[in-house]
Amino acid sequence: MKKFWTMLIWEKKIPEFLIFRKNIVNRILFTAAFALVFINIYAPFGVNTWYNVTKLELFLYSSGLILTGILVMVISRILMFQINKKHKLNYLQYGSWELTEIVIMAFVYTLLKVFFLHEKSDIVDDFVVSLQITALVVILPYIILTLYFSWQDKSKKLESLEQLKEDTNVKASKLLPFYDEKEVMRFSMLPSDILYLEAADNYVTIYFLNKQKISHYLLRNSLKNLGEYLSEYSFIRCHRSFIVNFEKVKLIRKEKDGLKLEIDAPTELIIPVSKTYSQEVLNEFVKTGS
Protein backbone atom coordinates (compact mmCIF):
# COMPACT_ATOMS: atom_id res chain seq x y z
CA MET A 1 0.00 0.00 0.00
CA LYS A 2 2.84 2.38 0.90
CA LYS A 3 4.54 1.59 -2.41
CA PHE A 4 1.30 2.37 -4.25
CA TRP A 5 0.96 5.81 -2.64
CA THR A 6 4.62 6.56 -3.29
CA MET A 7 4.23 5.76 -6.98
CA LEU A 8 1.03 7.80 -7.11
CA ILE A 9 2.84 10.87 -5.76
CA TRP A 10 5.74 10.45 -8.19
CA GLU A 11 3.34 10.14 -11.15
CA LYS A 12 1.59 13.38 -10.19
CA LYS A 13 2.17 16.24 -12.66
CA ILE A 14 4.64 18.90 -11.57
CA PRO A 15 3.27 22.36 -10.65
CA GLU A 16 3.37 25.03 -13.34
CA PHE A 17 5.72 27.30 -11.38
CA LEU A 18 8.59 24.85 -11.96
CA ILE A 19 8.55 25.47 -15.70
CA PHE A 20 7.69 29.18 -15.88
CA ARG A 21 10.22 30.90 -18.14
CA LYS A 22 10.98 33.57 -15.55
CA ASN A 23 11.53 30.95 -12.85
CA ILE A 24 13.80 28.92 -15.12
CA VAL A 25 15.97 31.97 -15.84
CA ASN A 26 16.09 32.89 -12.14
CA ARG A 27 17.02 29.31 -11.26
CA ILE A 28 19.95 29.29 -13.70
CA LEU A 29 21.29 32.68 -12.58
CA PHE A 30 20.90 31.95 -8.87
CA THR A 31 22.55 28.54 -9.22
CA ALA A 32 25.48 30.05 -11.12
CA ALA A 33 25.98 32.81 -8.51
CA PHE A 34 25.64 30.33 -5.64
CA ALA A 35 28.16 27.95 -7.23
CA LEU A 36 30.72 30.71 -7.82
CA VAL A 37 30.51 32.02 -4.26
CA PHE A 38 30.33 28.60 -2.63
CA ILE A 39 33.30 27.09 -4.48
CA ASN A 40 35.57 30.09 -3.98
CA ILE A 41 34.72 30.79 -0.33
CA TYR A 42 34.17 27.34 1.14
CA ALA A 43 36.22 25.22 -1.30
CA PRO A 44 34.07 22.10 -0.78
CA PHE A 45 35.92 18.75 -0.45
CA GLY A 46 39.21 20.68 -0.53
CA VAL A 47 38.74 21.39 -4.23
CA ASN A 48 41.52 23.99 -4.17
CA THR A 49 44.04 21.35 -3.07
CA TRP A 50 42.68 18.69 -5.42
CA TYR A 51 43.21 20.92 -8.43
CA ASN A 52 46.42 22.39 -6.92
CA VAL A 53 45.58 25.99 -7.87
CA THR A 54 45.79 29.41 -6.20
CA LYS A 55 42.69 31.35 -5.13
CA LEU A 56 42.83 33.51 -8.23
CA GLU A 57 43.31 30.50 -10.46
CA LEU A 58 40.44 28.74 -8.64
CA PHE A 59 38.22 31.77 -9.26
CA LEU A 60 39.07 31.88 -12.97
CA TYR A 61 38.86 28.10 -13.33
CA SER A 62 35.52 27.89 -11.46
CA SER A 63 34.11 30.82 -13.46
CA GLY A 64 34.88 29.03 -16.70
CA LEU A 65 33.38 25.81 -15.42
CA ILE A 66 30.25 27.60 -14.20
CA LEU A 67 29.78 29.30 -17.59
CA THR A 68 30.00 25.86 -19.15
CA GLY A 69 27.47 24.59 -16.60
CA ILE A 70 25.13 27.48 -17.45
CA LEU A 71 25.29 26.49 -21.11
CA VAL A 72 24.38 22.90 -20.19
CA MET A 73 21.50 24.12 -17.97
CA VAL A 74 20.17 26.49 -20.65
CA ILE A 75 20.09 23.74 -23.27
CA SER A 76 18.58 21.32 -20.77
CA ARG A 77 15.85 23.74 -19.61
CA ILE A 78 14.92 24.75 -23.16
CA LEU A 79 14.41 21.08 -24.02
CA MET A 80 12.45 20.52 -20.80
CA PHE A 81 10.23 23.55 -21.51
CA GLN A 82 9.44 22.38 -25.05
CA ILE A 83 8.78 18.78 -24.00
CA ASN A 84 6.57 19.87 -21.10
CA LYS A 85 4.38 21.90 -23.50
CA LYS A 86 3.54 18.72 -25.42
CA HIS A 87 3.65 16.24 -22.54
CA LYS A 88 3.27 17.43 -18.95
CA LEU A 89 6.10 16.05 -16.84
CA ASN A 90 5.43 14.22 -13.58
CA TYR A 91 7.61 14.36 -10.47
CA LEU A 92 9.49 11.18 -11.40
CA GLN A 93 10.35 12.48 -14.85
CA TYR A 94 11.28 15.90 -13.51
CA GLY A 95 13.52 14.44 -10.79
CA SER A 96 15.19 12.09 -13.26
CA TRP A 97 15.77 15.00 -15.63
CA GLU A 98 17.50 17.07 -12.93
CA LEU A 99 19.71 14.15 -11.86
CA THR A 100 20.66 13.53 -15.48
CA GLU A 101 21.44 17.23 -15.83
CA ILE A 102 23.84 17.04 -12.86
CA VAL A 103 25.55 13.93 -14.24
CA ILE A 104 26.02 15.57 -17.66
CA MET A 105 27.51 18.72 -16.09
CA ALA A 106 29.89 16.60 -14.00
CA PHE A 107 30.91 14.66 -17.11
CA VAL A 108 31.55 17.88 -19.04
CA TYR A 109 33.64 19.26 -16.16
CA THR A 110 35.68 16.05 -16.13
CA LEU A 111 36.38 16.29 -19.87
CA LEU A 112 37.43 19.93 -19.49
CA LYS A 113 39.85 19.02 -16.71
CA VAL A 114 41.37 16.16 -18.65
CA PHE A 115 41.70 17.85 -22.06
CA PHE A 116 42.30 21.49 -21.12
CA LEU A 117 44.20 21.33 -17.84
CA HIS A 118 46.13 18.27 -19.03
CA GLU A 119 46.35 16.84 -15.51
CA LYS A 120 47.34 13.21 -15.36
CA SER A 121 44.88 11.50 -13.06
CA ASP A 122 42.31 8.73 -13.06
CA ILE A 123 39.32 9.84 -15.14
CA VAL A 124 36.91 7.85 -12.96
CA ASP A 125 38.19 9.56 -9.82
CA ASP A 126 37.93 12.93 -11.56
CA PHE A 127 34.35 12.19 -12.52
CA VAL A 128 33.43 11.17 -8.97
CA VAL A 129 34.94 14.40 -7.60
CA SER A 130 33.18 16.50 -10.25
CA LEU A 131 29.88 14.73 -9.52
CA GLN A 132 30.21 15.42 -5.78
CA ILE A 133 30.98 19.10 -6.26
CA THR A 134 28.33 19.58 -8.96
CA ALA A 135 25.65 17.86 -6.88
CA LEU A 136 26.52 19.98 -3.85
CA VAL A 137 26.52 23.37 -5.60
CA VAL A 138 23.46 22.58 -7.76
CA ILE A 139 21.09 20.69 -5.46
CA LEU A 140 21.24 23.26 -2.62
CA PRO A 141 20.13 26.26 -4.75
CA TYR A 142 17.60 24.04 -6.52
CA ILE A 143 15.99 23.15 -3.18
CA ILE A 144 16.09 26.77 -1.96
CA LEU A 145 14.50 28.14 -5.13
CA THR A 146 11.90 25.37 -5.34
CA LEU A 147 10.76 26.20 -1.80
CA TYR A 148 10.72 29.91 -2.66
CA PHE A 149 8.78 29.38 -5.91
CA SER A 150 6.31 27.15 -4.06
CA TRP A 151 5.78 29.79 -1.37
CA GLN A 152 5.40 32.47 -4.04
CA ASP A 153 2.86 30.38 -5.96
CA LYS A 154 0.79 29.65 -2.84
CA SER A 155 0.86 33.32 -1.88
CA LYS A 156 -0.46 34.33 -5.31
CA LYS A 157 -3.20 31.70 -5.14
CA LEU A 158 -4.17 32.88 -1.65
CA GLU A 159 -4.33 36.48 -2.88
CA SER A 160 -6.48 35.39 -5.82
CA LEU A 161 -8.85 33.53 -3.50
CA GLU A 162 -9.10 36.53 -1.19
CA GLN A 163 -9.74 38.82 -4.16
CA LEU A 164 -12.39 36.45 -5.50
CA LYS A 165 -14.04 36.34 -2.08
CA GLU A 166 -13.97 40.14 -1.88
CA ASP A 167 -15.40 40.49 -5.40
CA THR A 168 -18.13 37.97 -4.55
CA ASN A 169 -19.02 39.86 -1.39
CA VAL A 170 -19.12 43.16 -3.26
CA LYS A 171 -21.26 41.64 -5.98
CA ALA A 172 -23.58 40.09 -3.40
CA SER A 173 -23.95 43.43 -1.62
CA LYS A 174 -25.10 45.00 -4.91
CA LEU A 175 -27.87 42.48 -5.49
CA LEU A 176 -31.35 43.95 -5.51
CA PRO A 177 -33.73 41.94 -3.30
CA PHE A 178 -37.46 41.60 -4.05
CA TYR A 179 -39.97 40.99 -1.26
CA ASP A 180 -43.46 39.59 -1.43
CA GLU A 181 -46.51 41.20 0.18
CA LYS A 182 -45.55 39.64 3.52
CA GLU A 183 -42.11 41.26 3.44
CA VAL A 184 -40.39 37.92 2.80
CA MET A 185 -37.42 38.09 0.43
CA ARG A 186 -38.14 35.84 -2.53
CA PHE A 187 -35.80 36.90 -5.28
CA SER A 188 -32.61 38.95 -5.76
CA MET A 189 -30.32 39.85 -8.65
CA LEU A 190 -28.17 42.61 -10.09
CA PRO A 191 -30.27 45.69 -11.01
CA SER A 192 -28.40 45.97 -14.31
CA ASP A 193 -29.84 42.59 -15.42
CA ILE A 194 -33.47 43.56 -14.84
CA LEU A 195 -35.43 44.78 -17.89
CA TYR A 196 -38.91 45.63 -16.63
CA LEU A 197 -41.73 44.60 -14.30
CA GLU A 198 -45.30 43.88 -15.35
CA ALA A 199 -48.34 43.71 -13.07
CA ALA A 200 -51.05 41.07 -13.40
CA ASP A 201 -53.78 40.94 -10.71
CA ASN A 202 -52.04 40.40 -7.36
CA TYR A 203 -48.73 39.37 -8.93
CA VAL A 204 -45.80 41.11 -10.56
CA THR A 205 -43.66 39.43 -13.22
CA ILE A 206 -40.01 40.46 -13.16
CA TYR A 207 -38.31 40.16 -16.54
CA PHE A 208 -34.52 39.93 -16.56
CA LEU A 209 -31.55 38.81 -18.63
CA ASN A 210 -30.09 35.40 -17.91
CA LYS A 211 -27.19 34.33 -20.15
CA GLN A 212 -28.39 36.70 -22.88
CA LYS A 213 -31.90 35.24 -22.75
CA ILE A 214 -35.00 36.82 -21.27
CA SER A 215 -36.26 35.03 -18.18
CA HIS A 216 -38.95 35.94 -15.68
CA TYR A 217 -39.94 35.47 -12.05
CA LEU A 218 -43.44 35.71 -10.65
CA LEU A 219 -43.73 37.58 -7.35
CA ARG A 220 -46.87 38.05 -5.24
CA ASN A 221 -46.96 41.79 -4.59
CA SER A 222 -48.32 44.99 -6.06
CA LEU A 223 -46.57 47.22 -8.58
CA LYS A 224 -47.33 50.19 -6.33
CA ASN A 225 -45.36 48.71 -3.41
CA LEU A 226 -42.45 47.75 -5.64
CA GLY A 227 -42.47 51.14 -7.36
CA GLU A 228 -41.91 52.93 -4.07
CA TYR A 229 -39.10 50.54 -3.19
CA LEU A 230 -37.45 50.71 -6.64
CA SER A 231 -37.54 54.50 -6.84
CA GLU A 232 -34.10 54.53 -5.18
CA TYR A 233 -32.69 52.80 -8.25
CA SER A 234 -32.97 53.53 -11.99
CA PHE A 235 -36.52 52.17 -12.24
CA ILE A 236 -39.45 54.34 -13.26
CA ARG A 237 -43.19 53.78 -13.48
CA CYS A 238 -44.36 54.34 -17.05
CA HIS A 239 -47.79 52.67 -17.02
CA ARG A 240 -50.28 51.32 -14.52
CA SER A 241 -49.00 47.86 -15.46
CA PHE A 242 -45.30 48.53 -16.11
CA ILE A 243 -42.11 49.64 -14.37
CA VAL A 244 -38.99 49.80 -16.53
CA ASN A 245 -35.30 49.88 -15.81
CA PHE A 246 -34.53 53.23 -17.44
CA GLU A 247 -30.91 52.21 -17.99
CA LYS A 248 -32.23 49.58 -20.40
CA VAL A 249 -34.28 52.05 -22.45
CA LYS A 250 -32.47 52.59 -25.74
CA LEU A 251 -35.15 54.52 -27.60
CA ILE A 252 -38.23 56.66 -26.85
CA ARG A 253 -40.54 57.26 -29.74
CA LYS A 254 -43.81 59.12 -30.06
CA GLU A 255 -46.67 57.44 -31.86
CA LYS A 256 -50.33 58.27 -32.40
CA ASP A 257 -51.42 56.40 -29.29
CA GLY A 258 -48.63 57.86 -27.13
CA LEU A 259 -45.01 57.30 -26.15
CA LYS A 260 -43.28 53.94 -26.57
CA LEU A 261 -40.13 52.70 -24.87
CA GLU A 262 -37.86 50.33 -26.74
CA ILE A 263 -35.88 48.12 -24.35
CA ASP A 264 -32.32 47.00 -25.03
CA ALA A 265 -32.82 43.21 -25.13
CA PRO A 266 -31.98 40.20 -27.35
CA THR A 267 -35.52 40.35 -28.78
CA GLU A 268 -37.70 43.38 -29.54
CA LEU A 269 -39.41 44.73 -26.44
CA ILE A 270 -41.77 47.70 -26.65
CA ILE A 271 -43.28 49.07 -23.43
CA PRO A 272 -46.20 51.56 -23.63
CA VAL A 273 -46.19 54.84 -21.70
CA SER A 274 -49.57 56.04 -20.45
CA LYS A 275 -50.51 59.74 -20.41
CA THR A 276 -50.44 59.70 -16.60
CA TYR A 277 -46.74 58.89 -16.54
CA SER A 278 -45.55 60.44 -19.85
CA GLN A 279 -44.28 63.66 -18.31
CA GLU A 280 -42.42 61.77 -15.61
CA VAL A 281 -40.77 59.59 -18.25
CA LEU A 282 -39.78 62.63 -20.35
CA ASN A 283 -38.34 64.35 -17.27
CA GLU A 284 -36.26 61.25 -16.52
CA PHE A 285 -35.10 61.21 -20.14
CA VAL A 286 -33.99 64.85 -19.94
CA LYS A 287 -32.28 64.29 -16.60
CA THR A 288 -30.44 61.21 -17.90
CA GLY A 289 -29.38 63.01 -21.07
CA SER A 290 -27.99 65.96 -19.19
Side-chain angles (χ1 to χ4, degrees), residues 14-156:
I14 61 172
E16 291 296 320
F17 66 80
L18 287 177
I19 43 88
F20 284 159
R21 288 184 180 179
K22 182 179 178 181
N23 288 352
I24 290 175
V25 173
N26 289 336
R27 180 190 290 270
I28 293 172
L29 295 177
F30 180 75
T31 303
F34 180 90
L36 186 62
V37 172
F38 192 78
I39 290 176
N40 284 276
I41 292 179
Y42 293 100
F45 305 114
V47 64
N48 55 334
T49 58
W50 284 350
Y51 292 142
N52 193 26
V53 291
T54 64
K55 288 186 176 181
L56 179 60
E57 289 173 331
L58 177 62
F59 176 78
L60 295 175
Y61 175 57
S62 60
S63 297
L65 291 180
I66 289 168
L67 287 175
T68 306
I70 289 176
L71 180 60
V72 173
M73 281 191 285
V74 168
I75 296 172
S76 172
R77 297 294 156 161
I78 290 174
L79 290 174
M80 177 190 287
F81 183 82
Q82 295 299 326
I83 291 174
N84 188 75
K85 285 200 301 185
K86 298 179 181 179
H87 176 71
K88 298 294 181 182
L89 299 175
N90 57 38
Y91 279 100
L92 181 60
Q93 293 168 332
Y94 184 79
S96 300
W97 190 292
E98 293 207 330
L99 288 175
T100 304
E101 190 177 88
I102 292 172
V103 171
I104 292 174
M105 282 192 285
F107 182 70
V108 171
Y109 295 155
T110 303
L111 294 180
L112 288 174
K113 181 176 182 295
V114 171
F115 291 103
F116 287 91
L117 295 182
H118 304 292
E119 291 190 5
K120 295 181 180 180
S121 57
D122 187 87
I123 191 170
V124 176
D125 291 338
D126 287 340
F127 175 73
V128 172
V129 172
S130 295
L131 187 61
Q132 288 176 316
I133 298 173
T134 304
L136 181 62
V137 298
V138 168
I139 290 177
L140 282 177
Y142 274 17
I143 292 174
I144 292 171
L145 279 184
T146 299
L147 292 174
Y148 172 74
F149 291 151
S150 178
W151 169 81
Q152 194 178 51
D153 183 65
K154 288 179 180 178
S155 297
K156 288 180 180 179

Side-chain angles (χ1 to χ4, degrees), residues 249-260:
V249 176
K250 68 177 182 179
L251 180 66
I252 299 178
R253 63 172 184 260
K254 189 174 183 180
E255 297 183 354
K256 291 182 179 180
D257 55 345
L259 296 177
K260 304 290 182 182

